[in-house]
């Protein structure tokens, strides 16, 4: 019987952000129980009574969890803190004296595994086989990057060039090792256990692959896989996610002791709405939205609640903030309705509200509101570079023509001379919600000072919507009249060019990070770009748009042709 185990709990949980911004992944709940607790239960059922848990990211939480678990279990559980992550192999170096000559389990603390049978027979074989340095659980789920020799069952390649093909498997992060593996672990610094396995293999000592027949395994490594896993369990398993649990407690749920008399309670089960490229995840109750955000790379996400409160006080149509929990990177907003296909009459209401929103620039400055950096030459250049890199380069494999760059620089110079208004920055149809006849603006965390024409262009040249020329002209004229700026119609095509360049760059970037659904908006954005460029007399940009439209249509028809042949 194996009596010792090393459980890995030091990782950053990067792919699960923003869920892991304030909770280490091993402590994220699955079916109401932390992943790490589930691993400890499994090891305890096998008679393991000494467990070392390494920790690094948010290590205080892991240490406190292990202290409490050790107090209530018949196991000795202690933490091995790593100021710098040592890796799945390097973790063993501070534990060499504790391991001694004992065989031990090495287990990822942030996986979910069920249906693992008694491994006693494999343990006995390991002890008696001189050629076997370890055995490891494998599955045909996941990336399947290791190769296994069929007759011996030994892993022969840990980094297969034929990943996903027959004879390949996924290492589950669950192994039983002889103490002799320490001879193959680099004595200092960062290293992976796979490096030790490979060194042992060169010495004629192998890892045996064990594939339990009815094992359920997942690393729950992405937001979608983690959500799907909880969705398979309790109908309201999301309520156990730490940030959501705190959000529910902060404003109460219907019938709870903390519910207030003001109606600020969350009703109904929690549902997952989705995650966005802006490093946020959204959950919904019957009457509220819980937003989990990451502000490490997008500092504007932390400003959303403050901006919403300020805008609400100024009479802008934005959802009410029910709870602001910056220490948990969580905001709770009142349910403001849904997106919908708007009528021209509804667009009139939106344009009138937008004009009032844009007028708040002076008030924002006077109140010292912390906005994002204003539109200036540097920001316009960043939008051009985004377009060049992700639209022209990544999507169309071409460089920006010099004539196009010059015209875009001239567009930026013109827009810089525009009066500074409060700009939403992403004012498209999907950021207007409707609850009955009431509208609300959302996603204004990136607001800043800049040309009001940028917001109006974002709306009337929105790639998500098709306007007739008459409708677009009427909405522009309405805004110009409300703003008392009759010259705005002449400025707008230039603002539309700048905005659409930014959109096309953003679509390309989002596609590059695994969000291909934005690809369907490239062609309508290019068609809008051609229209705006023609109206602004920007010949080089217009010619480029025509060229890209032709390439997009050719690519679309080519895909349809190939699709037909596949069937």
């Amino acid at each position: 019987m194996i009596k010792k185990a090393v459980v890995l709990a030091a990782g950053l949980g990067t792919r699960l952000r923003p869920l892991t911004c304030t909770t280490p992944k091993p402590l994220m709940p699955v079916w109401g129980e932390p992943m790490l607790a589930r691993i400890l239960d499994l090891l305890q059922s096998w008679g393991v009574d000494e467990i070392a848990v390494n920790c690094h990211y948010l290590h205080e939480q892991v240490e406190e969890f292990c202290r409490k678990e050790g107090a209530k279990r018949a196991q000795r559980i202690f933490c091995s803190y790593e100021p710098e992550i040592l890796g799945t192999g390097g973790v063993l170096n501070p534990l060499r004296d504790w391991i001694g000559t004992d065989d031990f389990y090495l287990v990822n603390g942030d996986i979910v595994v069920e249906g693992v049978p008694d491994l006693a027979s494999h343990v006995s074989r390991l002890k008696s086989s001189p050629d076997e340095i370890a055995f490891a659980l494998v599955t045909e789920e996941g990336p399947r990057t290791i190769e296994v020799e069929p007759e011996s069952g030994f892993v022969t390649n840990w980094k297969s060039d034929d990943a996903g093909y027959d004879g390949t498997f996924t290492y589950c992060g669950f192994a039983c090792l002889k103490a002799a593996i320490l001879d193959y672990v680099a004595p200092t610094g960062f290293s992976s256990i796979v490096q030790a396995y490979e060194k042992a293999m060169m010495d004629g000592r192998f890892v045996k692959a064990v594939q339990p027949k009815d094992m359920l395994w997942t690393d729950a490594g992405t937001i979608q896989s983690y959500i799907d896993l909880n969705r398979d369990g309790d109908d309201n398993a999301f309520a156990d996610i730490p940030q959501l649990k705190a959000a529910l407690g902060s404003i109460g749920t219907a019938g709870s002791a903390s519910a207030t008399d003001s109606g600020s309670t969350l009703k109904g089960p929690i549902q997952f709405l989705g995650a966005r490229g802006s490093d946020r995840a959204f959950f919904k109750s019957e009457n509220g939205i819980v937003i989990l955000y990451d502000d490490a790379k997008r500092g504007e996400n932390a400003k959303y609640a403050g901006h919403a409160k300020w805008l609400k006080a100024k009479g802008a149509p934005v959802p009410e903030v029910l709870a602001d929990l910056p220490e948990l990177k969580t905001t709770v907003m009142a349910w403001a309705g849904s997106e919908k296909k708007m009528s021209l009459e509804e667009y009139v209401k939106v344009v009138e509200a937008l004009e009032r929103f844009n007028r708040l620039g002076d008030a924002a400055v006077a109140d010292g509101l912390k906005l994002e950096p204003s539109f200036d030459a540097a920001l316009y250049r960043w939008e051009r570079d985004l377009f060049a890199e992700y639209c022209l380069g990544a999507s169309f494999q071409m460089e920006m023509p010099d004539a196009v760059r010059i015209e875009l620089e001239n567009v930026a110079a013109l827009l810089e001379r525009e009066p500074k208004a409060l700009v939403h920055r992403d004012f498209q149809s999907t950021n207007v919600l409707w609850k009955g006849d009431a509208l609300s603006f959302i996603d204004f965390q990136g607001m800043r000072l800049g040309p009001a024409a940028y917001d109006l262009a974002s709306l009337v040249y929105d790639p998500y919507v098709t306007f007739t020329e008459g409708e677009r002209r009427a909405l522009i004229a309405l805004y110009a009249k409300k703003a008392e700026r009759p010259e705005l119609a002449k400025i707008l095509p230039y603002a539309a060019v700048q905005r659409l360049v930014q959109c096309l760059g953003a679509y390309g970037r989002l596609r590059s990070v695994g969000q291909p659904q934005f690809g369907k908006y490239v062609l309508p954005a290019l068609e809008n770009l051609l229209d705006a460029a023609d109206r602004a007399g920007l010949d080089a940009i217009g010619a480029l748009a025509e060229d890209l439209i032709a390439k997009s249509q050719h690519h679309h028809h080519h895909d349809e042709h190939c699709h037909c042949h596949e069937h």
Side-chain angles (χ1 to χ4, degrees), residues 82-103:
E82 299 175 3
E84 295 184 7
I85 290 183
L86 296 176
T88 56
V91 61
L92 302 179
N93 284 322
L95 302 171
R96 285 176 180 268
D97 290 342
W98 172 72
I99 293 170
T101 59
D102 296 328
D103 299 341

Side-chain angles (χ1 to χ4, degrees), residues 137-145 164-172 210-212 215 217:
L137 301 188
V138 301
T139 178
E140 291 182 340
E141 302 294 324
R144 295 170 59 182
T145 56
Y165 286 88
D166 290 345
T168 60
F169 298 86
T170 298
Y171 174 43
C172 292
V210 174
Q211 184 184 14
M215 180 179 70
W217 170 88

Side-chain angles (χ1 to χ4, degrees), residues 173-189:
F174 204 124
C176 183
L177 298 86
K178 288 180 177 176
I181 193 67
L182 296 174
D183 296 338
Y184 303 99
V185 173
T188 59

Side-chain angles (χ1 to χ4, degrees), residues 271 306 383 400 411 476 492 564:
Q271 301 172 354
E383 292 186 342
M400 182 182 290
V411 167
I476 295 170
L492 202 79
C564 289

Side-chain angles (χ1 to χ4, degrees), residues 455-481:
D455 273 354
L456 182 59
S458 301
L459 183 69
V460 299
Y461 280 91
D462 184 357
Y464 299 164
V465 179
T466 300
F467 289 101
T468 67
E469 178 51 35
E471 289 171 338
R472 180 178 289 149
R473 191 165 53 244
L475 293 174
I476 295 170
L478 172 64
Y479 187 102
K481 181 178 180 181

